[in-house]
Amino acid sequence: METPDKELFDKVVKISQSRGFVFNASSIYGGLRSSYDYGPLGALLKQNISNLWWKSIKNADTNIYPVDTAIIQSSDVWKSSGHLEEFTDPMVECKKCNKRFRSDSEEITECCDNQELTEPKQFNLMFETYSGPVKNENSQVFLRPETAQGIFINFENVLRTMRAKIPFGIANIGKSFRNEITPGQFIFRTREFEQMEIEFFCKESEEDQWMDYWIKKRMEWYQSLGIKEDHLQLREHEENELAHYAKKTVDIEYLYPWGWGELEGIANRGSYDLLSHQENSGKDLTYFDSVNDEKYIPSAIEPAGGLTRTLFALLLSVYDEEKLENDETRTLFRFIFELAPIQIGILPLSKKDDLIEICNDINKILSEDYRTEVDITQSIGKRYRRQDEIGTPYCITVDFESLEDNSVTIRDRDTMKQERISIDKLSEYFEKL
Ligand code: ATP
């Protein structure tokens, strides 16, 4: 097993920012702590991860229904789910420098020399705002701290409209907000982030079986993205760290440059949420099993992952450096083909119009099926370096011979091997991959 690599963090953050994956939010005004914008390549990568998530959860053995629920819900939702009371972190304040920290934060030790900490106080992480023009207790609303509640409150809607049969799942993806006391480590912990969550509804007697199913499936998914196997591990929560709703939780952890940390939590929430929403809303949220003639509140197994955190773990995991024969070092993101923001770079050897014209023609054909980019800026060597650095798996180079023989060179990012191929065989070449 490899050990954490602190230098890696700085390198990945630097490339992310210089190549257009992630920018500091409000950067022209000096930035806003813990807020990030995703640039052209980051936005594409996020979309690609999310597409693979949807693709992987919908398959023959499980019935998964997608929903896309509101960020602002009735405050009653958060009362019933327990978030108003329980969604807190312990916060301490240094009486000398007045800085505030989550009580388990490593940053406390760096705070000040004459540190004197207050007793921990519980701080609620939900962002508050007001709906409508009047600001009072009745108009107070919260930005959702998880996408999961949007699923529970739509359980009956989905059941009825889709005629769903247990076991089945409902999946929701989107932004969540937590007023983290100590955000940090780039996009690992931010106050605004994206989650990918499933509630998988099953019989109480089948909870353990589905819990095992989802742990295995989700672990396999991270590996299928190209995240290194020896950088992933499972860790079961101790009794005293379980969230207020959970019977059991197993985290999928990643070995970040500072050590192991959560990537996804898979929790057995039992019937906690549906029961609580039924009690507080007065709506019947039971499931009727017509075959066995029984009525019950199902249990929920919840694989809850972070889309933005996965993007970060992926960048860390596929980052690589390679010494070249001329003693230069090339850096690369070894994205799998489906994830690469740009899948095929199309490069004219020089800026001559007739070469660019061929590149544009090739681009017209390939861009229908692939994410392509015609790259004409700077020398060919620098362009290869840039394409490696942004993780483009293949580059097509159009040179002067192409004008004669209608062929181009395909360069493989990982092996750097070059292959000559006729332009009219290009589509077939990529189809076969
Ligand atoms: P942590 O212990 O890191 O605070 P958590 O246990 O509170 O996380 P969950 O409530 O289980 O997190 O949320 C599910 C997933 O959402 C996490 O595994 C993570 O990937 C993501 N996530 C949670 N909080 C944040 C955040 N502040 N920034 C980015 N991603 C987050």
Side-chain angles (χ1 to χ4, degrees):
M1 224 275 315
E2 293 179 44
T3 47
D5 174 357
K6 297 235 159 48
E7 242 178 66
L8 174 69
F9 178 83
D10 294 336
K11 288 178 184 166
V12 167
V13 170
K14 194 165 161 229
I15 296 187
S16 302
Q17 294 180 324
S18 65
R19 290 301 190 192
F21 286 88
V22 181
F23 302 125
N24 290 323
S26 312
S27 57
I28 60 166
Y29 291 105
L32 174 68
R33 188 179 174 202
S34 163
S35 253
Y36 293 92
D37 294 329
Y38 289 80
L41 300 181
L44 280 170
L45 185 57
K46 198 140 67 72
Q47 245 173 49
N48 301 340
I49 298 173
S50 144
N51 288 344
L52 288 188
W53 185 77
W54 285 115
K55 199 169 150 193
S56 83
I57 62 171
K58 113 179 163 344
N59 69 25
D61 27 318
T62 49
N63 223 347
I64 304 275
Y65 300 97
V67 290
D68 183 347
T69 67
I71 284 170
I72 298 175
Q73 301 278 357
S74 157
S75 298
D76 290 337
V77 171
W78 310 113
K79 254 184 238 155
S80 306
S81 66
H83 283 81
L84 266 181
E85 283 280 313
E86 311 258 4
F87 198 60
T88 56
D89 271 346
M91 180 173 73
V92 291
E93 187 174 339
C94 172
K95 290 181 189 164
K96 294 283 183 270
C97 69
N98 294 327
K99 281 195 180 156
R100 291 166 182 194
F101 303 92
R102 200 162 112 163
S103 59
D104 59 358
S105 165
E106 284 179 8
E107 287 183 29
I108 295 179
T109 49
E110 296 154 18
C111 146
C112 66
D113 294 340
N114 310 317
Q115 194 181 84
E116 200 185 317
L117 298 176
T118 58
E119 283 299 308
K121 254 194 338 215
Q122 288 306 320
F123 172 75
N124 195 298
L125 299 182
M126 284 203 291
F127 273 95
E128 303 165 13
T129 185
Y130 296 89
S131 182
V134 184
K135 277 192 179 182
N136 63 26
E137 224 178 86
N138 296 331
S139 64
Q140 191 187 34
V141 288
F142 300 90
L143 304 187
R144 66 178 177 201
E146 61 172 31
T147 58
Q149 291 306 319
I151 296 178
F152 290 117
I153 58 174
N154 278 290
F155 171 75
E156 196 276 330
N157 286 336
V158 174
L159 198 61
R160 180 169 36 84
T161 54
M162 303 312 288
R163 290 159 294 173
K165 296 269 175 289
I166 292 236
F168 71 91
I170 305 179
N172 203 5
I173 201 164
K175 290 232 163 156
S176 291
F177 302 82
R178 296 182 187 179
N179 200 2
E180 299 277 1
I181 306 164
T182 321
Q185 283 137 330
F186 196 42
I187 55 172
F188 172 80
R189 186 181 304 287
T190 47
R191 294 194 171 118
E192 174 179 342
F193 54 98
E194 271 178 76
Q195 290 189 303
M196 325 177 268
E197 298 194 292
I198 307 164
E199 297 303 331
F200 193 77
F201 297 102
C202 64
K203 284 185 167 177
E204 191 183 2
S205 58
E206 294 181 355
E207 281 174 355
D208 291 343
Q209 166 196 333
W210 285 110
M211 185 81 182
D212 292 346
Y213 171 91
W214 282 107
I215 292 170
K216 181 165 178 284
K217 191 162 169 76
R218 298 300 302 137
M219 192 68 160
E220 283 168 2
W221 183 72
Y222 286 106
Q223 287 168 25
S224 77
L225 298 185
I227 295 184
K228 291 185 192 117
E229 203 179 327
D230 64 357
H231 277 54
L232 291 166
Q233 73 175 17
L234 296 173
R235 188 183 69 81
E236 185 165 345
H237 282 207
E238 303 285 340
E239 191 83 16
N240 63 2
E241 55 171 331
L242 283 174
H244 62 277
Y245 50 74
K247 283 186 177 177
K248 174 178 171 171
T249 298
V250 174
D251 283 347
I252 297 182
E253 294 191 329
Y254 180 76
L255 184 61
Y256 297 95
W258 57 89
W260 290 102
E262 181 172 334
L263 187 54
E264 166 155 346
I266 301 163
N268 177 354
R269 290 176 85 130
S271 53
Y272 176 90
D273 301 85
L274 287 181
L275 212 57
S276 177
H277 285 305
Q278 172 167 280
E279 267 170 35
N280 291 300
S281 68
K283 292 277 179 316
D284 181 6
L285 300 182
T286 50
Y287 173 76
F288 178 59
D289 175 350
S290 54
V291 179
N292 298 308
D293 199 23
E294 49 174 340
K295 239 179 152 197
Y296 61 91
I297 296 259
S299 297
I301 304 299
E302 176 194 76
L307 175 54
T308 40
R309 203 178 273 186
T310 298
L311 186 147
F312 184 40
L314 179 75
L315 290 178
L316 291 164
S317 195
V318 302
Y319 175 86
D320 204 2
E321 286 173 8
E322 215 173 65
K323 258 247 171 323
L324 300 175
E325 277 168 16
N326 61 5
D327 247 17
E328 273 187 33
T329 303
R330 71 169 183 141
T331 55
L332 16 81
F333 282 130
R334 293 194 194 273
F335 295 124
I336 59 166
F337 191 72
E338 292 97 314
L339 282 180
I342 306 292
Q343 294 173 306
I344 307 168
I346 307 168
L347 325 179
L349 189 65
S350 88
K351 274 191 187 163
K352 290 269 179 324
D353 283 349
D354 34 7
L355 298 191
I356 293 177
E357 204 176 304
I358 298 180
C359 288
N360 289 339
D361 289 345
I362 295 175
N363 191 32
K364 250 191 218 136
I365 299 166
L366 293 181
S367 63
E368 285 192 12
D369 297 311
Y370 306 101
R371 292 179 293 277
T372 57
E373 179 186 77
V374 177
D375 188 357
I376 56 176
T377 312
Q378 297 186 307
S379 72
I380 190 78
K382 285 203 172 127
R383 277 180 280 158
Y384 280 145
R385 277 186 68 148
R386 171 173 173 271
Q387 294 294 344
D388 284 343
E389 213 166 273
I390 66 173
T392 307
Y394 295 97
C395 280
I396 295 174
T397 308
V398 176
D399 54 26
F400 293 101
E401 259 177 71
S402 308
L403 296 169
E404 313 291 322
D405 67 0
N406 224 25
S407 291
V408 291
T409 305
I410 298 184
R411 173 184 180 270
D412 181 307
R413 175 198 65 203
D414 293 336
T415 60
M416 289 198 291
K417 287 220 172 85
Q418 307 212 3
E419 199 179 327
R420 195 86 190 157
I421 177 166
S422 156
I423 292 176
D424 51 18
K425 291 262 160 52
L426 278 173
S427 292
E428 199 185 316
Y429 178 94
F430 289 109
E431 258 167 48
K432 276 197 194 145
L433 285 177

